[in-house]
Amino acid sequence: MQATQPKKALITGITGQDGSYLAELLLGKGYEVHGIIRRSSSFNTDRIEHLYADRHITGAKMFLHYGDLVDGMGMREVLSRVKPDEVYNLAAQSHVRVSYDQPVYTVQADALGTMNLLEAIRDTGLPTRIYQASSSEMYGKVRETPQTELTPFHPRSPYACAKVFSYWQTVNYREAYNMYAVNGILFNHESPRRGETFVTRKITRAATRIKEGLQDALYMGNLEAKRDWGFAGDYVEAMWLMLQQDKPEDYVIATGETHSVQEFLEVVFSQLNLDWKQYVKQDPKYFRPAEVDLLLGDATKAKKNLGWTPKVTFKGLADMMVKADWELAKRERVIAESEGKKVGSKR
Ligand code: NDP
Ligand code: GDR
């Protein structure tokens, strides 16, 4: 009897926060995982280093391919070579503030990049399923709270406009070509692997470094914005579930709780027995030309159809991130001391 072939998944953005958790999840389920990585002059594979096995070793299950979403020809070439069962399009210039500095590039990667991928899949003629990383940022200037799959979009940044374009192209390829193409409208999700310039990680890095005497102040933007923050590890499971259904549909993924940036500051600094007001200063540089004031998602549909619910709470998430970053700060302190650098006293 012939052994069944493992399912093949292709992840764009595998080196990012979500890509690394998703690769871990799929490898655990026995998938052969392929990832697109960008050529970079310094290593950009830190988050997936622990998953990588030399391809010459028997049993290696993860393979990396150089590529860029902006390069449509390259995407076609990888798609037709790998022939994946499932594609997870997680690659993006994902920073909202940066999208104001690099609007055209953001649109090239986050909007046209998705088109390149959808077209490449259509070209192969294979029944490949695709997950598109849509975002709660698409709701922008919110028309109703909580936000559901039916809430209208009002994007407030070049990033969000690009994501709205990709959302509708995904819907259109589903309707026009009968492709299994779905949008996960994910609300903010964080982890110890979150990029260091996103607000939660910026706070946990700074607070723990302040605790270890490595920095004195934290410069921030708008502290009043409210977000529905969940744990990335929980959210990648929802991505996978969305591609395992009989019918392709779009889903909101959220915790159903909202908290302000200031509340996140309070929780994190108090875990370290510090008073955030003594260290946090505001810098206009971190304010956005247009802000998204309040996000709160309703994931009832995901709960009902996918059986998905978040496991990690707001407090649990902050604890997890503080713990990981405190370890990191302690190691940084040891290195700084061994190099004879001046470090402050422990607070
Ligand atoms: P990250 O910023 O951590 O990761 C982005 C990934 O995309 C990285 O692997 C990056 O590569 C890659 N990338 C960027 N531009 C290109 C390009 N032109 N071609 C190929 N690869 C590229 O994002 P997250 O993991 O947090 O998010 C994953 C996706 O989900 C993104 O599309 C994001 O917009 C979306 N999203 C995220 C949410 C969140 O709260 N995290 C919520 C809703 C949606 P490199 O390492 O080389 O920079
Ligand atoms: P967001 O996440 O824009 O929601 O996009 P981010 O963590 O960058 O900002 C959240 C809120 O915090 C406010 N803020 C600051 N933000 C940053 N980065 N730095 C600061 O110093 C600061 N001070 C206050 C912001 O103004 C904002 O209101 C994230 C990304 O992952 C997107 O890719 C994703 O689509 C959405 O989440 C859902």
Side-chain angles (χ1 to χ4, degrees):
M1 213 172 64
Q2 221 183 352
T4 48
Q5 291 288 313
K7 266 193 180 179
K8 268 192 224 173
L10 176 71
I11 305 175
T12 74
I14 195 168
T15 57
Q17 171 189 253
D18 291 7
S20 67
Y21 282 109
L22 181 65
E24 236 165 62
L25 179 85
L26 297 180
L27 287 168
K29 290 185 183 295
Y31 275 67
E32 182 177 302
V33 173
H34 294 257
I36 304 279
I37 57 164
R38 297 194 286 181
R39 195 270 156 182
S40 153
S41 66
S42 50
F43 282 121
N44 58 359
T45 50
D46 273 10
R47 294 186 180 103
I48 50 171
E49 218 56 67
H50 64 295
L51 300 173
Y52 191 74
D54 190 313
R55 63 189 307 141
H56 305 103
I57 295 170
T58 324
K61 284 286 208 63
M62 187 171 86
F63 304 94
L64 302 177
H65 310 263
Y66 282 111
D68 193 305
L69 274 193
V70 170
D71 169 17
M73 290 280 279
M75 284 300 120
R76 259 162 227 244
E77 196 275 320
V78 175
L79 251 298
S80 54
R81 189 152 38 86
V82 174
K83 299 187 175 61
D85 300 289
E86 296 170 8
V87 171
Y88 295 85
N89 184 28
L90 310 185
Q93 190 303 91
S94 72
H95 204 286
V96 174
R97 177 69 192 81
V98 172
S99 79
Y100 276 101
D101 300 328
Q102 284 198 290
V104 175
Y105 173 71
T106 301
V107 168
Q108 280 167 348
D110 301 8
L112 298 182
T114 310
M115 281 301 277
N116 283 335
L117 201 55
L118 287 166
E119 276 294 280
I121 293 173
R122 189 165 78 89
D123 258 15
T124 64
L126 294 170
T128 302
R129 298 183 167 201
I130 178 168
Y131 169 87
Q132 168 58 20
S134 286
S135 163
S136 52
E137 281 296 295
M138 301 188 305
Y139 297 119
K141 195 171 179 184
V142 164
R143 314 257 192 98
E144 66 177 1
T145 304
Q147 295 93 48
T148 72
E149 291 80 5
L150 300 175
T151 303
F153 301 139
H154 185 140
R156 302 263 284 167
S157 62
Y159 167 82
C161 292
K163 286 285 184 182
V164 170
F165 175 93
S166 288
Y167 170 92
W168 283 116
Q169 291 294 357
T170 302
V171 172
N172 191 47
Y173 273 60
R174 178 166 80 218
E175 293 174 356
Y177 304 120
N178 211 18
M179 271 170 56
Y180 193 113
V182 300
N183 288 288
I185 307 174
L186 270 52
F187 282 62
N188 299 52
H189 46 279
E190 321 292 312
S191 73
R193 295 185 203 165
R194 184 58 143 154
E196 294 190 20
T197 59
F198 295 97
V199 79
T200 54
R201 186 82 200 283
K202 181 171 167 177
I203 292 170
T204 56
R205 276 291 276 147
T208 51
R209 282 173 53 82
I210 287 169
K211 183 75 182 172
E212 289 300 312
L214 295 162
Q215 103 182 39
D216 296 320
L218 166 58
Y219 290 91
M220 306 272 309
N222 175 18
L223 305 186
E224 283 165 23
K226 290 184 152 185
R227 291 290 182 274
D228 179 331
W229 279 296
F231 170 52
D234 288 345
Y235 285 39
V236 297
E237 193 153 2
M239 296 177 187
W240 175 75
L241 284 168
M242 279 180 228
L243 290 194
Q244 315 309 313
Q245 306 306 306
D246 292 337
K247 216 171 130 219
E249 287 187 51
D250 306 321
Y251 289 93
V252 160
I253 300 297
T255 68
E257 257 186 53
T258 191
H259 298 273
S260 66
V261 173
Q262 183 171 317
E263 276 175 82
F264 195 81
L265 274 170
E266 284 163 4
V267 170
V268 167
F269 277 75
S270 72
Q271 273 170 17
L272 296 161
N273 290 319
L274 297 171
D275 176 8
W276 69 273
K277 291 196 195 92
Q278 280 184 25
Y279 304 99
V280 174
K281 303 181 189 340
Q282 284 189 309
D283 180 341
K285 176 178 154 190
Y286 298 113
F287 284 83
R288 291 157 188 199
E291 179 61 282
V292 173
D293 297 319
L294 166 67
L295 292 175
L296 172 63
D298 176 354
T300 305
K301 182 180 171 188
K303 186 174 181 191
K304 183 166 166 273
N305 293 6
L306 308 176
W308 180 87
T309 45
K311 296 183 192 79
V312 178
T313 60
F314 176 70
K315 176 80 174 41
L317 177 66
D319 280 353
M320 180 199 301
M321 292 177 71
V322 167
K323 199 164 168 247
D325 277 337
W326 202 356
E327 286 308 312
L328 187 58
K330 283 176 185 161
R331 286 202 298 276
E332 280 179 341
R333 185 182 169 100
V334 170
I335 293 168
E337 282 170 343
S338 74
E339 287 172 348
K341 286 190 185 143
K342 213 169 145 226
V343 284
S345 61
K346 287 198 179 201
R347 265 80 180 181

